Amino acid sequence: MLPARRNPNRCLFTPLSLAVASALIAIAAPALAQDAGKDKDKDKTTELARVEVTGSNIRRTDVETASPVQVISRQDIQNMGARTLLQVLDNLPAARPAQVDSKSLFTGSDGASQANLRGLGPQGTLVLLNGRRLSYYGAPSGFQTQFVNIDAIPAAAIERMEVLTDGASAVYGTDAVAGVINVITKSSYQGLEVSGTWDTAPRFDSFGEKQASITGGFGDMATDRYNVYASVNLYERNGIPDSEWYDKNPAQFYVNNPDYIKNLRLDTGSAPGVFNPGYYFAFDPVTKARVDEAAPGCKNVLQVSSGTRCIWQTWMNRQINGGADSRRVTAYVNGHFQVNDATEAFAEVTYTDIDLRANGGTPRAYGTTTGNPQSWFSRNTGNTVNQFLYPFLGPNNEYNHASPEMKALMGGVVGLSYLLQDVGGNHFGQRNTDRSYRAVTGLRGSLGDSDWSWETAFATAGSHSVTYQTTNVNLKGFEKAFGPYTVDPGTGRVIISDHPAYRFGEISEANAALIREAFPTFDIQSWTRLHTLDGKVEGPLFKLPAGEVRAAFGFNATRETFYTPGNPDAANGLITQQGGSWFDGKRNTYALFSEAVAPITDKLELDAALRLDKYPGFSANLAPKIGLKYQALPQLLLRGTYSEGFRAPSLAESGSGGVYAQIGGYRDETRCAETNAIAGLLRQSSRTVDKDLGNSLWNSDCSRNVARMTQPNPDLKPEKAKIATLGFVLEPTDWLSVSADYWFVYRRNEIVAPDYSKSEEISAMTRFPITETDLANLAALARMCADPASGVACPATLPGYSTGNVASVIGQYKNRGRTLVDGLDVDARGRFDLGGWGRLNIGVAATIANRNMYNSDDADGWYYGNVVGYYDNPRLRATFNTNWTYGNWDTGFYINYVGGTKWAYDRVDGEDNNAQTCTGSYVEASPSQCEGAPSWWTANLSVNWRPIEKLSVGVTVKNLFNRLPFYDPNDWMNFPGYTNNFGRIYSVTATYKF
């Protein structure tokens, strides 16, 4: 459902319900609001308990502050059909799609999920648990951005979420630029409750989400003077292998990739585990053409333009596209103890154990390198680029059974393609583990008989993340299997041993042991720690004619550490394409803060806050905030805020160490254009072999993996932001409430990684030479053009290569650029008493984007223009829900809507990708969607039944109308991240309270 609205006038509709929630009574039934409204006049004379509100240090009776706050209850989450916090945020219009743990492999922050308000990224969104910070995830996003892994928050103990859609650096410090997500757990619990949920999708047999929890507690604060409860949550999600995924992409994907199914070798070639002799190849020294030849004994010969190949069936157990297997265990313990009438002790402990695994699929093939070698940086090799090529077979190699004609081409030397099946299909892949914790202990109470209260606490939190990868070659292990090497003195080609330890032509455990050393599992470990001591006092300062002025004063002292030692073999450059990242940083930070709320008149209230943060390396940061709330009419509240936010450089950006890794999707315009010119002619041929080669070359040099080194910058300054909101809350009747808030964020001095597409951002670059494969492609083009049967009218001067591909780039983090976003949040909610037919609640919430502008440097203006309406920046995101409660039944209907966009990312990209070209990222879009990505919506239906007081049973149908996603040429998944490819999902939930 939509977040609950807060009503400033009818204080018993929302303010009282929230006050009661903070006083430890769960709020789940929307009907409470209706009943409370009937007693509004009577309870106006009742003194309400003061409660804390996200975004403020001052406890208050009226929780409608100058800043907009959205509240999402457990009932709302249930109606959404959400199983994780990420799924909750996906249904919040103010939030934008963010990293999903199961599809985060090879991103640097593998195995974690992020929050992203306003599209300003996880570095602009502060995530809290019960008002206090958690430790960052061990692995930064993109090796740069440190963030809180929202998967580590205890889902079973959640009472509600409060989302502040306003800046809050004046209250919380760094990161609170786009807003704050405060996850609030039950303050107390008595009894025992068990719950279980199971989700399944008929479209994918392997799809499954299971969740179980148990919560138990004892003690009553009123009578026993204590309460302790604990909750354990178990979550499991199954991975989706390619065997189910390969034929379920949107149709246009197969049009753009005509050889995709054929290249999987389905129902052809040798089955997994069955010996395949492979094939040999060589290059004609005169024509430069490549010649392929199936090895003797091949039973699966494939005719190609360069000869014959022996093919194998691709294994379909790869889980990179469909998502990985995930297991999570989260434990949460909460305790409150009344020390005396004026003092309460409290403590909470959270521990989460996450284990995510993804099968890497097909066993690696031995394929002699004739194109670009693998390249990578590593810590101990400095600016020198490491490179690796799979070697050739020499003329006297005992496994060189090529024909005399082929051997004669290169003096007996031949290349080899051979499937290394010995270790089976489950050896390659990736595993991520994360063990995170947080422990908080503190005291709170009142000062004598006054209305002043105080609180102090110490919190320690940490995360230990490990990525285990079995993907790349270990140079020493590979040489043990296939060395020692020699070098052909004439050509410089590397040659394997004539009698290697690995025995081609057999499948054996001895071979498997060698492959495990050649392709070992290596680990990337990282630790983060956060120790915090805080304290504050809050109470009345003095009285004005309109009422009491209340204030809060406090401090915060933090010790933060981040340590990523790196794998020793990777540090020495022994793991191909895996330099890894090395960070070692620590810092102490201190903060003082204050806040005051003053009733200027009976109708006008002022809220002002100020926070001073001191980080090492730059001057102290002063973050102010001011808010006004004006009760213009009994039914109309006006509100507005202005604040200044900041984000301090993370230890990954400003500490010691650096990033030695790959940059994926690197686009070199020169090579892209040259290769596509060659491929474009080949694709016109009437000969199948030419078309196949052209299809394989098309866009092959437009998105490549390139070795990159990104260096930290100790001179970085904090990002700064100006944030403002202006809005109203209107309740014209008892059954209708409407709010609208304009929001504005201007962030500058942004901390960014180098834009390696711009030469000025690159401090060093290297290129490969033109390769034998390049020359072979040119030879194939020449042969086609010389054959009239191809039917291609070739130009007099054939396209060619002027340079090799980019091998490596080096750059450094910088303060550069700025972003401006603004828009409107709207929420409308109706509540109807149907008498004997129960109660009906209806709500609509929407975020309407106005501007999203970015300048990547410090020049004037906005080079890319306003990108609202362009790709991944829809103008409208909205949700609609209706909830009907009747007797023991509760029914919810929920719609999530995302507006359409262009395929181009901005007006500059739009020059190449537009409706006329019908492309996105230079890839063909569906002919019916040349104008851009269409709007998207899904609907969920939930029915919950409570046959007896202690038992509730629910059924939810997610994606009720079984809508399947459209093709997205910009997304690596081939469809947008805010959609899903699972079709209709059925969910069953049962909860029993003892």
Side-chain angles (χ1 to χ4, degrees), residues 189 191-197 211-216 232 950-952 989-994:
Y189 186 85
L192 181 66
E193 174 182 306
V194 294
S195 180
T197 301
Q211 188 165 264
S213 65
I214 180 169
T215 303
V232 176
K950 296 182 178 182
L951 174 66
S952 63
T989 301
T991 301
Y992 189 84
K993 296 181 179 180
F994 293 89

Side-chain angles (χ1 to χ4, degrees), residues 367-601:
T368 300
T369 305
T370 59
N372 298 314
Q374 299 177 33
S375 61
W376 69 99
F377 287 107
S378 60
R379 182 183 62 183
N380 296 341
T381 57
N383 290 3
T384 300
V385 181
N386 305 290
Q387 295 187 357
F388 171 74
L389 303 95
Y390 283 78
F392 287 79
L393 304 188
N396 300 316
N397 189 286
E398 64 177 297
Y399 302 111
N400 186 346
H401 303 303
S403 67
E405 293 78 13
M406 173 168 281
K407 288 184 178 182
L409 293 176
M410 300 194 312
V413 174
V414 298
L416 174 67
S417 287
Y418 179 90
L419 187 63
L420 303 169
Q421 299 199 60
D422 306 87
V423 293
N426 296 316
H427 176 67
F428 294 94
Q430 182 168 319
R431 179 189 178 196
N432 293 87
T433 64
D434 179 61
R435 293 175 176 84
S436 59
Y437 67 90
R438 192 186 76 161
V440 180
T441 181
L443 296 169
R444 63 169 65 100
S446 58
L447 297 175
D449 296 329
S450 70
D451 195 17
W452 280 84
S453 63
W454 58 273
E455 181 174 320
T456 185
F458 174 76
T460 179
S463 174
H464 177 203
S465 305
V466 187
T467 296
Y468 301 92
Q469 286 187 349
T470 313
T471 305
N472 303 325
V473 168
N474 180 293
L475 299 187
K476 287 187 175 180
F478 197 87
E479 187 169 5
K480 179 179 178 181
F482 303 102
Y485 308 141
T486 57
V487 178
D488 186 324
T491 63
R493 295 190 180 101
V494 178
I495 310 296
I496 70 170
S497 169
D498 287 342
H499 307 284
Y502 182 87
R503 300 186 63 82
F504 292 96
E506 66 179 50
I507 297 177
S508 66
E509 178 53 38
N511 277 351
L514 291 169
I515 295 303
R516 282 190 284 269
E517 290 189 66
F519 297 88
T521 298
F522 65 95
D523 65 301
I524 307 170
Q525 300 198 50
S526 54
W527 287 264
T528 62
R529 296 289 184 270
L530 181 68
H531 308 298
T532 304
L533 177 65
D534 62 61
K536 66 179 180 181
V537 295
E538 183 271 333
L541 284 180
F542 53 85
K543 286 191 175 182
L544 294 175
E548 192 174 64
V549 176
R550 298 186 71 87
F553 306 93
F555 73 92
N556 185 281
T558 299
R559 172 68 168 178
E560 181 185 357
T561 62
F562 179 35
Y563 177 51
T564 303
N567 178 276
D569 282 349
N572 292 319
L574 297 178
I575 307 293
T576 62
Q577 295 182 293
Q578 183 58 61
S581 56
W582 284 264
F583 300 109
D584 189 2
K586 57 189 69 174
R587 62 188 178 194
N588 296 331
T589 62
Y590 307 94
L592 297 173
F593 56 86
S594 62
E595 183 179 358
V597 175
I600 306 303
T601 70

Side-chain angles (χ1 to χ4, degrees), residues 1-5 28 30 71-73 75-81 91-93 737 826-832 839-846 878-885 890-897 938-942:
M1 286 184 68
L2 295 172
R5 282 281 340 284
V71 181
I72 305 162
S73 70
Q75 182 66 47
D76 296 331
I77 296 172
Q78 178 178 315
N79 289 343
M80 291 176 187
N91 288 285
L92 189 69
S737 61
V826 179
D827 184 285
R829 186 170 300 275
R831 304 167 297 276
F832 306 93
R839 298 180 179 87
L840 178 67
N841 296 327
I842 299 177
V844 177
T879 58
F880 165 83
N881 82 93
T882 179
N883 177 251
W884 178 37
T885 303
D890 190 287
T891 303
F893 184 66
Y894 193 95
I895 296 177
N896 192 343
Y897 174 87
T938 55
N940 297 345
L941 176 66
S942 64

Side-chain angles (χ1 to χ4, degrees), residues 247-263:
D247 62 347
K248 294 184 177 66
N249 286 297
Q252 184 63 28
F253 170 77
Y254 303 103
V255 175
N256 290 358
N257 298 271
D259 294 334
Y260 179 77
I261 297 293
K262 183 172 67 175
N263 287 342

Side-chain angles (χ1 to χ4, degrees), residues 11 134 185 196 210 344 349 352 373 669 694 704 730 739 770 835 913 979:
C11 57
L134 298 101
T185 62
K210 294 181 281 293
E344 176 188 297
V349 177
T352 302
E669 294 292 350
R704 301 190 65 90
L730 174 67
S739 72
I770 295 174
N913 298 281
T979 67

Side-chain angles (χ1 to χ4, degrees), residues 43-50 61 451:
D43 283 359
K44 272 187 176 178
T45 60
T46 303
E47 183 176 350
L48 304 180
R50 295 187 179 275
T61 56
D451 195 17

Side-chain angles (χ1 to χ4, degrees), residues 897-914:
Y897 174 87
V898 179
T901 68
K902 300 178 185 293
W903 289 124
Y905 285 88
D906 49 58
R907 65 185 182 187
V908 177
D909 185 33
E911 296 175 4
D912 298 307
N913 298 281
N914 49 58

Side-chain angles (χ1 to χ4, degrees), residues 637-720:
L637 172 75
L638 305 180
R639 60 188 180 190
T641 65
Y642 170 80
S643 64
E644 296 183 5
F646 80 104
R647 180 179 81 87
S650 72
L651 292 174
E653 296 162 331
S654 62
S656 61
V659 178
Y660 309 84
Q662 301 286 303
I663 178 173
Y666 183 84
R667 185 180 181 88
D668 176 7
E669 294 292 350
T670 300
R671 280 288 302 205
C672 176
E674 291 176 348
T675 299
N676 278 358
I678 296 166
L681 287 175
L682 289 167
R683 295 173 82 189
Q684 298 175 31
S685 175
S686 59
R687 305 189 312 184
T688 302
V689 291
D690 295 330
K691 285 185 177 180
D692 288 347
L693 178 59
N695 287 334
S696 66
L697 289 178
W698 186 253
N699 285 333
S700 62
D701 280 344
C702 299
S703 179
R704 301 190 65 90
N705 287 332
V706 173
R708 60 110 176 219
M709 180 191 302
T710 305
Q711 301 165 332
N713 185 350
D715 298 324
L716 289 173
K717 306 303 179 185
E719 296 179 351
K720 297 295 186 71

